Amino acid sequence: MSFIIVDDANKQFDYFMHVTSDRETHLYSNISKINKKNSTQLKPIPDADADGYVKYYEDLGYSMNQGLYDKLISDFNYNLAEGEKHLVPWII
């Protein structure tokens, strides 16, 4: 299954192919934590049609940023408050 993360504020998206259901759940959890901490509105789109969604967002002027998710995780982990736990980007 495919998965897209959309950052409307910065007009970017990150696209993942072949995401298992366990990894999808993990992505949802991390995105939820990032949204809560940063007051962002990142949108996860599961089971995304690669050609359709990529073209749709590119037509809206969004750019694909294949490092978006990793940067969001890195920023979250860099700015941890006392007692907060690091996010793990991927499960194996």
Side-chain angles (χ1 to χ4, degrees):
M1 136 179 16
S2 302
F3 196 90
I4 292 179
I5 298 171
V6 180
D7 179 358
D8 288 317
N10 297 305
K11 296 190 97 172
Q12 298 180 29
F13 64 94
D14 199 350
Y15 177 72
F16 305 96
M17 295 175 61
H18 311 296
V19 176
T20 64
S21 60
D22 288 344
R23 286 188 174 172
E24 178 183 337
T25 301
H26 187 75
L27 287 167
Y28 269 117
S29 175
N30 280 349
I31 291 167
S32 176
K33 290 173 186 173
I34 292 168
N35 279 339
K36 183 177 179 182
K37 179 178 176 127
N38 298 336
S39 299
T40 53
Q41 294 296 317
L42 301 169
K43 285 190 301 196
I45 303 172
D47 217 9
D49 165 41
D51 296 329
Y53 273 102
V54 169
K55 181 166 178 16
Y56 172 77
Y57 281 106
E58 287 176 340
D59 288 349
L60 291 175
Y62 286 59
S63 60
M64 183 183 294
N65 178 349
Q66 293 185 326
L68 176 64
Y69 176 71
D70 294 329
K71 177 159 181 9
L72 291 167
I73 295 292
S74 177
D75 289 349
F76 181 95
N77 288 339
Y78 182 77
N79 296 307
L80 287 177
E82 187 175 329
E84 286 184 316
K85 294 182 180 179
H86 279 82
L87 292 183
V88 176
W90 299 102
I91 59 170
I92 297 178

